Amino acid sequence: VRSTAVVAPLPPLDPCLHCCHRMDAVGVAAPGADPFGHEGQAQGYAAYRPTYPSALLDRIWSTPDVRRGLAVDACCGTGKLTTVLAEHFEQVLGLDQSAEQLRHADRGAGNVEYRQADAALLEGVGDGSADVVAIAQALHWLDIPAFCTAARRALRPGGYLVVLGYGVCSLPEGSSQEAAFKRHYHETLGSYLPRGHKDNMWDCDRQLLDSGLANGGVAAARSEFEEPAWVWHKETRRMTADDFIGYLKTWSAYRRWLQAHPDEADPLEALKSQLVAPSGAEDALEVTFPFFLILARATAALKPATPLRAEARQGLGAPSAAPHGKRA
């Protein structure tokens, strides 16, 4: 494993709202719906989604004034981050709306409680009760300022909002494998086409995620959080072609592509043939993930709460009229 880290202050943030259907870890969906409960979906996340580098997570634990009482993992999915938090906090609460994701959550730690709840608004978390509110690879699906307001409500003064995620991965620069992967990402999935374009298979803003949420309004409510710190950490991991394809199959855009092109060949089968050596040998791929961490300290005083807009409560994670697949 090779890794590099870059530490920088968070650039000025655009207070615009990025409210869209969230597919990576469930926030809010229509009553009774489980948009992340497709067959095999939770197992795919547990098996193929990357874990976060220890060197990046150490930035959280090494922050001097982080208390180690209650940590809340919002949109926890199968608990990839939840179980790590359990090693550093007395009590951890994992929230997700997907019953299927929670059914496959890691329950090995005795100080973890999972709840099926509105994670986007931190339903059931008491005001000022949490030392840390964490959210991993999910904030880009939510109304960001609304979530930040909910996080500040749940945090004690001086508590921390922890945002983790990763942008699009890469293969060795200049390689035929990287060229094939880029074609899949940009041409097949239309990742950087305008939101709503018929050939853009994503239900979220991929450029926002790939930027590390640099323009996503994390600090829109300046009176609620101090200036956030922003850390990038690249790590290269060795994966078999099968595991890499398994990871790409967890992308919401892939599922949506299959639904939009039912009579066409699976694009990941074609991509896999371009990733393996001509001999067919199972040489490991070197896959680099650009992880990011945002740390925002809650201000000493909580400003009076303001009612959330109706669409903030009803629109997060709600299935759209058009068919689509799963998360990023």
Side-chain angles (χ1 to χ4, degrees):
V1 176
R2 300 195 307 273
S3 62
T4 58
V6 177
V7 182
L10 196 66
L13 298 177
D14 181 355
C16 62
L17 302 183
H18 292 276
C19 182
C20 57
H21 180 59
R22 175 204 173 245
M23 307 280 243
D24 200 345
V26 177
V28 181
D34 190 350
F36 306 126
H38 301 291
E39 183 178 356
Q41 199 165 21
Q43 297 95 316
Y45 291 166
Y48 298 117
R49 286 296 176 109
T51 55
Y52 291 93
S54 297
L56 187 65
L57 296 175
D58 284 346
R59 293 299 301 248
I60 306 170
W61 327 135
S62 64
T63 301
D65 58 345
V66 172
R67 294 185 186 176
R68 303 300 183 91
L70 172 64
V72 179
D73 185 8
C75 306
C76 64
T78 58
K80 278 189 176 290
L81 178 63
T82 320
T83 53
V84 177
L85 292 171
E87 298 174 6
H88 297 272
F89 291 86
E90 294 177 7
Q91 182 182 2
V92 180
L93 176 62
L95 301 178
D96 208 293
Q97 183 156 331
S98 172
E100 185 66 9
Q101 291 284 328
L102 293 176
R103 191 168 73 85
H104 291 276
D106 186 336
R107 300 178 183 274
N111 59 337
V112 172
E113 177 187 354
Y114 290 104
R115 293 181 191 169
Q116 186 179 2
D118 179 349
L121 298 179
L122 300 176
E123 179 184 17
V125 180
D127 293 0
S129 63
D131 295 301
V132 162
V133 170
I135 183 166
Q137 196 67 353
L139 189 55
H140 58 291
W141 292 105
L142 306 182
D143 179 328
I144 294 176
F147 178 80
C148 289
T149 297
R152 180 60 191 90
R153 174 193 61 76
L155 285 166
R156 64 167 181 82
Y160 278 87
L161 171 62
V162 174
V163 181
L164 288 158
Y166 45 91
V168 63
C169 57
S170 61
L171 298 171
E173 186 174 0
S175 67
S176 60
Q177 290 97 335
E178 171 68 352
F181 173 61
K182 283 184 175 178
R183 286 193 298 272
H184 174 75
Y185 185 66
H186 290 288
E187 298 176 16
T188 302
L189 302 182
S191 299
Y192 281 10
L193 291 173
R195 289 275 307 283
H197 190 287
K198 66 180 182 64
D199 293 324
N200 184 341
M201 298 292 106
W202 296 97
D203 288 314
C204 70
D205 187 341
R206 276 301 308 196
Q207 293 187 67
L208 173 68
L209 178 60
D210 291 345
S211 76
L213 309 181
N215 293 306
V218 174
R222 292 289 182 180
S223 62
E224 297 181 346
F225 290 95
E226 298 174 4
E227 186 72 21
W230 184 39
V231 182
W232 278 103
H233 183 99
K234 288 188 176 182
E235 189 162 283
T236 300
R237 300 176 178 181
R238 294 176 67 82
M239 303 175 69
T240 67
D242 283 338
D243 285 346
F244 184 60
I245 294 298
Y247 164 64
L248 298 184
K249 285 184 176 181
T250 70
W251 284 6
S252 61
Y254 167 69
R255 185 181 294 274
R256 189 177 180 191
W257 190 96
L258 292 178
Q259 293 174 341
H261 305 85
D263 299 324
E264 297 187 29
D266 186 337
L268 289 184
E269 292 301 321
L271 176 60
K272 182 180 178 181
S273 69
Q274 299 173 74
L275 296 178
V276 299
S279 63
E282 278 291 326
D283 293 334
L285 301 170
E286 292 195 340
V287 184
T288 299
F289 289 92
F291 296 95
F292 62 86
L293 165 68
I294 301 171
L295 279 172
R297 188 175 187 271
T299 52
L302 178 62
K303 71 179 184 179
T306 55
L308 291 172
R309 299 190 322 276
E311 63 263 35
R313 176 171 293 277
Q314 298 173 2
L316 302 182
S320 61
H324 50 261
K326 197 176 166 343
R327 51 166 128 152

